[in-house]
Amino acid sequence: MLASGRVATGAQAAMFEREFAARVKARHAVAVSSGTAAIELALRAMRLPPGGIVLVPAVTFCGVAQAVLHAGLRPLLVDVDPVTAMPSPATVAAALQGHAHGRIRPAAMLVLHFGGAPSPLPELAAAAGLPLYRVVEDAAHGPGTTIHGRAVGALSRAACFSFSPTSNLPIGEGGMVTCDDGELAARVRRAGRNGMSADVRQRDGTAGSAWHFTVEDGGLKANMSDLEAAIGRAQLRRLPSWQRLREQLAAGYTLRLHDVGTLLPPSIPTGGRHAWNLYVLQVTERYGRSRDELAAALAERGISTAVHYVPLHRLGYFRHAALRPISGLPGADQLFPRLLSLPLYPGLTEHRVDRICAELHRLAR
């Protein structure tokens, strides 16, 4: 690929799209520059009314809400179940009923498969009063997630994947939009090429015609390079073995920590398969140390942890940029001080898991 002199979007990106679509059983895939760009482009392609309200989990990455705003829409934060860290049908219904403007009709909904756990997609859509073609899945944690035996990727209007360094399919940067709707895929592709009617793969062919294109829609530059796509194709072949390792490591954590009742393990889904992008503990008050005290103590022992995520309503910008239910977000507020993500990646050894769990036992009071 490097020898060809072609590193911009080209043949490698097209092959990566086909291979990824086949992996998740979707008819179409469009490679883009990031998972955040994937969400913005999918929402743009749905041609929702300007300023339309999009339901967004209160506990998610800040870039998700930014993507909604960049698409010209307004996020309405939905509270989460403090057990699953994801919205439930009850919290979706509460968000629509308990709002300062009265009961509202959302234009669309974003559903997050938190940490790789399958979200109850049909039930959430029903609670929102939305058909599945008005639902977009945030599948940043989702390569490997299934719902009732079907891979996440074509269960809603569009699924948006991330290939960041910590994703299950790490490229460095990049994302993918998958769907079964050919027209939606074409709109995503155009919007990700600044709205141009023909991308560079079509414009560099016939001599004298390379400059012919028009712009009919708004857009941004969000294409994936062939260099990233070539890495993605190689990584995709490793995904099944990496998923098996993630499952083994997650099971190892759960087994070793089962007798520390003051640390709650991730909930195990019954309606699908967990992709184990994250292993998120809840540090309860009975553990004897706060989440932040535990994270600091582990860091002193050479063990890095993270928090996924700071609820959006606790971030200054979204206090005015996002809508909130008048009843507040009590589930997110209860959950946030407890969240602690342990190391989880295919190169993690069982010996390292042993040591992490031993420290968690020792630090309990």
Side-chain angles (χ1 to χ4, degrees):
M1 189 273 295
L2 291 174
S4 72
R6 179 67 176 268
V7 295
T9 305
Q12 290 292 327
M15 288 188 284
F16 185 32
E17 289 171 347
R18 288 195 295 271
E19 291 164 6
F20 191 85
R23 174 75 64 178
V24 300
K25 305 290 192 299
R27 292 177 184 168
H28 306 280
V30 182
V32 296
S33 57
S34 70
T36 304
I39 292 172
E40 178 181 346
L41 292 167
L43 291 171
R44 282 174 174 267
M46 290 170 68
R47 296 185 173 173
L48 301 169
I53 289 176
V54 178
L55 302 178
V56 175
V59 179
T60 189
F61 179 54
C62 61
V64 173
Q66 295 282 23
V68 173
L69 292 165
H70 293 167
L73 304 163
R74 192 83 187 271
L76 169 59
L77 305 185
V78 180
D79 203 11
V80 299
D81 181 326
V83 175
T84 66
M86 294 185 287
S88 67
T91 64
V92 169
L96 298 179
Q97 293 169 357
H99 188 265
H101 302 294
R103 182 173 173 83
I104 61 172
R105 296 173 64 88
M109 176 169 58
L110 276 169
V111 171
L112 169 65
H113 302 293
F114 180 77
S119 190
L121 186 62
E123 293 86 349
L124 294 179
L130 291 170
L132 284 174
Y133 66 79
R134 288 294 186 95
V135 176
V136 172
E137 291 166 88
D138 177 359
H141 302 161
T145 301
T146 67
I147 299 177
H148 301 303
R150 296 182 61 191
V152 166
L155 304 178
S156 61
R157 189 70 180 279
C160 301
F161 295 86
S162 171
F163 305 135
S164 70
T166 58
S167 75
N168 288 25
L169 187 66
I171 293 176
E173 288 296 341
M176 192 79 75
V177 179
T178 62
C179 63
D180 280 345
D181 183 338
E183 178 56 32
L184 186 82
R187 292 175 192 166
V188 169
R189 193 177 302 281
R190 285 195 301 272
R193 274 73 172 173
N194 293 304
M196 293 189 296
S197 60
D199 69 24
V200 68
R201 287 176 287 185
Q202 297 167 305
R203 292 188 291 112
D204 67 354
T206 307
S209 65
W211 59 271
H212 285 286
F213 67 90
T214 187
V215 176
E216 301 291 347
D217 296 304
L220 60 151
K221 189 179 189 309
N223 56 298
M224 178 183 286
S225 73
D226 259 15
L227 182 59
E228 292 166 323
I231 296 170
R233 294 183 66 210
Q235 300 289 68
L236 189 59
R237 291 191 287 271
R238 298 181 174 93
L239 183 60
S241 62
W242 285 344
Q243 287 304 110
R244 288 192 292 272
L245 287 170
R246 285 180 176 275
E247 288 179 353
Q248 292 167 12
L249 292 165
Y253 273 133
T254 300
L255 178 64
R256 291 168 174 85
L257 295 173
H258 79 279
D259 57 345
V260 187
T262 54
L263 295 175
L264 303 182
S267 62
I268 304 300
T270 57
R273 187 172 188 174
H274 203 306
W276 294 113
N277 176 252
L278 301 173
Y279 191 92
V280 183
L281 286 176
Q282 291 192 41
V283 183
T284 70
E285 295 76 8
R286 293 177 292 112
Y287 184 74
R289 298 175 191 265
S290 70
R291 184 269 315 279
D292 292 348
E293 290 169 343
L294 176 57
L298 290 171
E300 290 173 357
R301 291 157 174 79
I303 299 169
S304 297
T305 57
V307 173
H308 297 90
Y309 295 96
V310 178
L312 295 179
H313 66 291
R314 290 178 173 239
L315 301 173
Y317 178 65
F318 298 113
R319 289 176 188 150
H320 63 84
L323 302 171
R324 286 183 283 173
I326 57 175
S327 57
L329 299 160
D333 286 331
Q334 175 186 333
L335 182 67
F336 171 56
R338 296 179 163 197
L339 292 173
L340 188 68
S341 298
L342 299 183
L344 184 62
Y345 51 93
L348 186 67
T349 65
E350 291 286 345
H351 175 73
R352 183 71 171 167
V353 172
D354 277 337
R355 179 165 177 260
I356 293 168
C357 293
E359 294 294 350
L360 289 168
H361 277 85
R362 276 193 285 270
L363 289 167
R365 290 175 176 167

